[in-house]
Amino acid sequence: MNMTKKLMTLLLAMLACMTVSAQDTVIDDTCPPQFPGGDAALINFLNENIKYPPKAAQDRIEGKVIVQFMVKKTGKIDDVKVLRSVRKDLDKEAVRVIKMMPDFVPAKQNGETVDMPYTIPVSFKLFDEMKPLTLEGSDVPDDFQPPMFPGGDRALMEFLKENVKYPPMAAKRKIQGRVVMTFVVDKTGKVSEIKVAKSVDIYLDTEAIRVCKLLPDFIPAKQNGEPVSVWFTLPITFKL
């Protein structure tokens, strides 16, 4: 065999080896499931929908509930379960919100749509400066002054009357009831941490949240003459 044939034979052998090697290499082209709009939209969804359980807030319970669920080929969520628990009421709230999620963009593996598990931490955290004071009963400190809507209770009722709009879908379905809202009035009187403590219907709940976000600054609560941050409970009644 002359030198040219030897070189050709060697080259073909090398190409054969390279071909086998390439065939044996598996490229795992996996795209995990994605919340519509991405991670930022997912965080916003959680922030807008999580309702801090009042008893957990009063007990100063914080923590991170780890939830896992399956994102099906269709993007729908299934088999929601808690992998790491904090407390029963926080776990239950985390699962409730996860089940409210819209369909995901499903996972893909090697170009094919597949079912894939998805794990998400749901954090519950209170403001460090919050003082969970009970605003009724014998536990109220003698020197405690609760927060007040500017102008008093009558002005608050007028504010609600002027700003609450009965949701058309709720009216059409003849849904009525009292949505109980909780929020924090901080040391400056600003309203934050708006949550639904007692739900009636998604349309009424959403309207109650919208109106609470319109609330002006309160006169903050005081204890020992100093402004303090406290929880405030506000029932909003919807009646046809």
Side-chain angles (χ1 to χ4, degrees), residues 155-215:
L156 175 56
M157 293 304 104
E158 286 298 321
F159 175 89
L160 294 177
K161 184 178 178 181
E162 291 175 6
N163 288 279
V164 172
K165 310 297 181 187
Y166 216 111
M169 285 300 294
K172 183 178 179 181
R173 298 178 183 181
K174 300 189 184 301
I175 298 169
Q176 51 187 351
R178 177 179 292 178
V179 180
V180 179
M181 302 297 299
T182 62
F183 48 83
V184 172
V185 178
D186 70 15
K187 294 178 181 179
T188 66
K190 294 190 180 301
V191 171
S192 61
E193 285 291 294
I194 298 169
K195 307 291 181 185
V196 177
K198 182 181 176 185
S199 172
V200 174
D201 170 83
I202 184 64
Y203 300 108
L204 300 188
D205 295 353
T206 300
E207 176 60 12
I209 291 170
R210 183 192 71 82
V211 171
C212 284
K213 288 180 178 179
L214 297 175
L215 288 167

Side-chain angles (χ1 to χ4, degrees), residues 11-236:
L11 181 59
L12 288 171
M14 291 175 63
L15 285 173
C17 290
M18 290 175 65
T19 302
V20 170
S21 177
Q23 288 174 346
D24 289 346
T25 302
V26 178
I27 300 174
D28 185 13
D29 183 18
T30 301
C31 295
Q34 186 181 50
F35 187 87
D39 291 342
L42 172 56
I43 293 169
N44 285 336
F45 178 89
L46 294 175
N47 286 339
E48 289 175 4
N49 289 282
I50 287 177
K51 303 166 186 175
Y52 216 115
K55 188 65 170 65
Q58 186 178 9
D59 294 343
R60 303 290 290 162
I61 303 299
E62 300 179 325
K64 188 178 291 184
V65 181
I66 306 296
V67 181
Q68 187 181 74
F69 51 90
M70 183 67 70
V71 178
K72 307 293 284 183
K73 295 178 183 179
T74 59
K76 294 191 178 301
I77 291 170
D78 191 24
D79 192 24
V80 180
K81 56 189 176 185
V82 174
L83 293 185
R84 191 176 81 186
S85 170
V86 175
R87 195 170 93 159
K88 188 175 180 179
D89 50 358
L90 296 186
D91 298 349
K92 185 177 179 181
E93 176 61 13
V95 169
R96 183 192 71 82
V97 172
I98 295 299
K99 287 182 175 179
M100 289 174 56
M101 285 183 170
D103 292 354
F104 273 54
V105 178
K108 283 193 174 182
Q109 196 165 43
N110 299 323
E112 297 291 329
T113 304
V114 295
D115 296 349
M116 188 172 289
Y118 192 96
T119 303
I120 181 170
V122 181
S123 295
F124 292 86
K125 185 171 178 61
L126 297 164
F127 290 133
D128 291 337
E129 63 178 8
M130 276 186 198
K131 296 183 179 180
L133 298 172
T134 305
L135 301 185
E136 56 185 40
S138 59
D139 292 333
V140 180
D142 293 336
D143 58 356
F144 175 72
Q145 297 176 13
M148 186 172 70
F149 187 86
D153 291 343
R154 184 180 294 274
L156 175 56
M157 293 304 104
E158 286 298 321
F159 175 89
L160 294 177
K161 184 178 178 181
E162 291 175 6
N163 288 279
V164 172
K165 310 297 181 187
Y166 216 111
M169 285 300 294
K172 183 178 179 181
R173 298 178 183 181
K174 300 189 184 301
I175 298 169
Q176 51 187 351
R178 177 179 292 178
V179 180
V180 179
M181 302 297 299
T182 62
F183 48 83
V184 172
V185 178
D186 70 15
K187 294 178 181 179
T188 66
K190 294 190 180 301
V191 171
S192 61
E193 285 291 294
I194 298 169
K195 307 291 181 185
V196 177
K198 182 181 176 185
S199 172
V200 174
D201 170 83
I202 184 64
Y203 300 108
L204 300 188
D205 295 353
T206 300
E207 176 60 12
I209 291 170
R210 183 192 71 82
V211 171
C212 284
K213 288 180 178 179
L214 297 175
L215 288 167
D217 292 354
F218 277 56
I219 299 168
K222 285 187 177 182
Q223 188 173 9
N224 298 324
E226 296 294 326
V228 292
S229 298
V230 297
W231 288 99
F232 191 95
T233 302
L234 177 65
I236 300 180

